[in-house]
């Protein structure tokens, strides 16, 4: 394929750094931006990238997004600070917050252990979790990583690390989704539902 | 879903303006940019958007990308300026250029007539094509819009408009792709292959 002018090639390259975006999609995004996006939208886009980087940062305590210092959850005195819910990503944290049930604090790992992707324990935000458990008065750690190979591996690993501390470690229940149809569920979910079955 | 801080919401909104990107994907892109993208990549991305807008523009003659004035194709004296190939998009133009066979000039419509998407003839770069035919010494217009409902409608419409001028109007052949397997071809392609069959 013939090369586009460098100004467009640079934009294609930037787009192709996004997750799951290959050359073809990046080209589509860049050409769309060039041919169809109004000037003010492009300026907004460019500014949003810079101000995202300038105005928000990672909460030093839990790894959540924050606009300054501790995040709104960590700095909330009304929440239970002895209960930590461990999630893979900020997205998962927001999802759980939207349910409105959980009232403890969080810990965002920012990924999961993945041998295939070369993500090891040092790439994750695990040390600070252990540090918190060691220093703080934590009574329960709830592991809410996903029920994937990577999520399970990560949960197991953290469970091992927490063994030497006298705290309760729990894992969110996996099973059939409420309102879901059994016939549409995958095997692993059904197996998990059996494992976790309760007296009725 | 709980709202993210405004700096992140703005970026999500910008990403969701890209073609085929919904709220979920935009969130994924924005959170990835926030959590995983190195600072210099974010700065490059932001600059690429601005310089794309500043450094490149649309060729006033054909609608191709240009770094200044006429594009490299329109300003190339060695090309045949009496032959115009009409394409839907800049991407199609680059694809044909990469083959290296065609030696005329182009005309980029920047879309196709689509009733479902509300894209009418006024949204396309058609007037300037007719203008070129009227004023210039054009001998052939090759219609290379895709063999979709929209592409065909657009090709027919342009064909009608060109009726009053005494020029050759052709359409790129549609049929079975070379190296393709007949059993994997869709019905329309096979029908087109029958319509366009040649003596052998």
């Amino acid at each position: 394929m013939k090369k586009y002018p460098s100004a467009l090639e640079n934009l294609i390259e930037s787009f192709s750094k996004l997750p799951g975006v290959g050359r073809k999609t990046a080209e589509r995004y860049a050409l769309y931006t060039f041919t169809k996006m109004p000037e003010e939208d492009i300026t907004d886009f460019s500014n949003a990238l810079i101000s995202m980087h300038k105005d928000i940062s990672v909460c030093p305590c839990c790894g959540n997004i924050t606009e300054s210092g501790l995040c709104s959850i960590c700095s909330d005195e009304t929440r239970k600070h002895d209960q930590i819910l461990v999630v893979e990503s900020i997205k998962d944290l927001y999802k759980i917050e939207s349910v409105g049930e959980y009232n403890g604090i969080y810990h965002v790992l920012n990924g999961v252990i993945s041998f295939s992707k070369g993500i090891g324990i040092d790439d994750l935000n695990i040390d600070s979790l252990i540090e918190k458990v060691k220093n703080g008065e934590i009574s329960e750690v709830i592991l809410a990583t996903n029920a994937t190979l990577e999520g399970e591996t990560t949960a197991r690993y953290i469970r091992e690390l927490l063994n030497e501390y006298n705290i309760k470690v729990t894992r969110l229940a996996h099973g059939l989704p409420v309102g879901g149809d059994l016939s549409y569920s995958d095997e692993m979910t059904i197996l998990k539902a059996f494992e976790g079955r309760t007296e009725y």
Side-chain angles (χ1 to χ4, degrees), chain A residues 1-189:
Chain A
M1 192 92 178
K2 207 165 159 285
K3 279 253 189 181
Y4 293 101
S6 63
L8 197 67
E9 280 293 338
N10 291 342
L11 186 59
I12 293 173
E13 206 184 304
S14 284
F15 274 125
S16 64
K17 283 180 182 154
L18 294 172
V21 175
R23 167 85 196 181
K24 284 261 163 194
T25 309
E27 249 179 61
R28 197 161 136 247
Y29 289 169
L31 281 169
Y32 181 90
T33 315
F34 174 64
T35 54
K36 310 258 162 134
M37 211 180 255
E39 184 176 350
E40 61 266 32
D41 282 2
I42 298 176
T43 318
D44 286 352
F45 198 161
S46 173
N47 291 340
L49 280 160
I50 293 301
S51 78
M52 180 273 295
H53 187 68
K54 217 178 66 224
D55 299 345
I56 59 178
S57 57
V58 170
C59 172
C61 177
C62 74
N64 184 15
I65 301 171
T66 175
E67 282 171 289
S68 68
L70 287 182
C71 74
S72 58
I73 295 170
C74 286
S75 56
D76 184 344
E77 295 288 338
T78 68
R79 299 185 76 121
K80 293 200 278 179
H81 283 252
D82 64 340
Q83 200 178 30
I84 303 182
L85 192 137
V86 179
V87 286
E88 291 183 13
S89 67
I90 294 168
K91 220 160 148 179
D92 292 347
L93 182 158
Y94 272 79
K95 187 74 205 180
I96 290 177
E97 274 301 283
S98 73
V99 177
E101 172 65 23
Y102 180 66
N103 196 33
I105 57 169
Y106 290 88
H107 188 85
V108 183
L109 296 174
N110 204 12
V112 272
I113 297 170
S114 168
F115 300 112
S116 62
K117 288 181 194 149
I119 302 170
I121 46 175
D122 295 336
D123 301 313
L124 304 179
N125 186 19
I126 292 181
D127 289 351
S128 67
L129 172 66
I130 305 303
E131 210 58 33
K132 249 189 276 182
V133 171
K134 203 186 280 175
N135 302 329
E137 289 169 348
I138 306 299
S139 63
E140 183 180 4
V141 170
I142 307 168
L143 301 172
T145 54
N146 288 318
T148 55
L149 178 64
E150 289 87 359
E152 289 290 353
T153 309
T154 312
R156 291 276 165 96
Y157 178 75
I158 295 173
R159 205 320 116 254
E160 292 286 316
L161 288 180
L162 294 175
N163 267 344
E164 57 175 296
Y165 307 98
N166 184 28
I167 47 162
K168 192 167 146 193
V169 179
T170 56
R171 179 128 174 76
L172 282 196
H174 292 291
L176 300 170
V178 178
D181 190 323
L182 199 139
S183 64
Y184 285 107
S185 293
D186 62 302
E187 270 178 50
M188 276 309 291
T189 304

